[in-house]
Amino acid sequence: MRCSGRRWLIFSAVGTAGTNPAAQTELARKAYEKALADMKDLAEIARRSQTEAMASISERATQHLQEIREMVKKQTG
């Protein structure tokens, strides 16, 4: 069985923890903390991406409104 990098680290760490409950608990805690940190990073990336997208949409909507105003001025003026 071939293991990717992270899986190999997990399997090798579990192997060293053996049947020691304290080592297994510590391993589980570290894995949980790592997963939580990764989720926070992903959430921050998503938030930043959404903020940038909304700024672009708002800017383009403002441009469209200005173009419409200019078109209406030309037709009535």
Side-chain angles (χ1 to χ4, degrees):
M1 174 171 80
R2 282 189 67 183
C3 295
S4 66
R6 278 192 170 174
R7 285 185 185 161
W8 178 253
L9 286 174
I10 291 170
F11 287 140
S12 64
V14 169
T16 59
T19 57
N20 181 347
Q24 290 176 352
T25 302
E26 181 64 18
L27 178 64
R29 185 185 64 77
K30 286 181 180 180
Y32 174 77
E33 288 174 353
K34 174 71 172 132
L36 191 60
D38 289 346
M39 287 189 297
K40 286 180 180 179
D41 288 344
L42 288 173
E44 177 60 25
I45 290 168
R47 185 199 61 77
R48 205 174 319 129
S49 176
Q50 289 174 348
T51 300
E52 291 171 5
M54 285 306 299
S56 295
I57 290 169
S58 295
E59 180 181 344
R60 191 62 186 132
T62 302
Q63 290 172 355
H64 277 281
L65 286 173
Q66 186 61 34
E67 291 171 7
I68 291 169
R69 286 183 186 125
E70 289 172 8
M71 288 173 44
V72 170
K73 262 187 183 177
K74 287 179 183 178
Q75 289 179 353
T76 59

